[in-house]
Amino acid sequence: MWKQKLGISVGMPDKEQLQRLKAGGFDAVSPAWHAAGDLAAVCAAARECGLALQSLHAPFDKAALLWSADEAVSAPALAEQLAALEDCARCGIPVMVAHVWIGFEYSFDPNNLYFGNFDALAARAAALGVKLAFEN
């Protein structure tokens, strides 16, 4: 018997959308975090529909800013990631997917990269018992 589930990334779906996903053969969902969204309601509806919560997709529009050692630049991006991480833990989602950057237009000096923000994110994830998955 397979232990794998068929999952799909979704935004902040309502219960009707989740029911359609379940009826369409999906076993799991990965909602996308939004500051104004009601993640708890999405998670409750997903569970009511019999869908597993595979992961939470963190916001990515500020992802490249996390590489900056300048706190004035990186603080808003880190705060957003940490807020998503807290919600991930609060809702019992085991994994948070975070981008390290988005797109192809960024160019980083490999000798001048700052990992402090990723260290802070990883430390908080460990404290909360949430796994991080970095992509891109």
Side-chain angles (χ1 to χ4, degrees):
M1 185 53 108
W2 292 96
K3 292 184 180 182
Q4 297 158 329
K5 296 186 183 301
L6 179 61
I8 187 169
S9 291
V10 293
M12 292 293 268
D14 61 29
K15 189 169 183 179
E16 182 181 336
Q17 292 167 319
L18 291 166
Q19 288 170 332
R20 279 188 260 145
L21 290 171
K22 181 66 176 176
F26 288 97
D27 303 305
V29 292
S30 179
W33 187 88
H34 298 283
D38 188 351
L39 183 62
V42 170
C43 292
R47 288 182 177 112
E48 286 176 28
C49 293
L51 292 164
L53 292 154
Q54 172 184 317
S55 61
L56 176 68
H57 201 285
F60 52 82
D61 61 322
K62 298 179 185 121
L65 301 179
L66 290 168
W67 291 102
S68 177
D70 181 349
E71 194 172 318
V73 172
S74 64
L78 181 58
E80 191 173 63
Q81 295 292 310
L82 290 169
L85 186 59
E86 295 288 337
D87 279 354
C88 190
R90 194 174 1 269
C91 291
I93 302 173
V95 177
M96 186 177 90
V97 177
H99 283 264
V100 293
W101 73 82
I102 191 77
F104 296 103
E105 67 276 5
Y106 297 110
S107 172
F108 298 103
D109 176 0
N111 298 314
N112 194 23
L113 294 176
Y114 178 69
F115 288 90
N117 292 310
F118 295 100
D119 291 342
L121 191 59
R124 186 63 185 141
L128 293 170
V130 174
K131 293 178 183 153
L132 288 176
F134 292 111
E135 65 180 7
N136 286 37

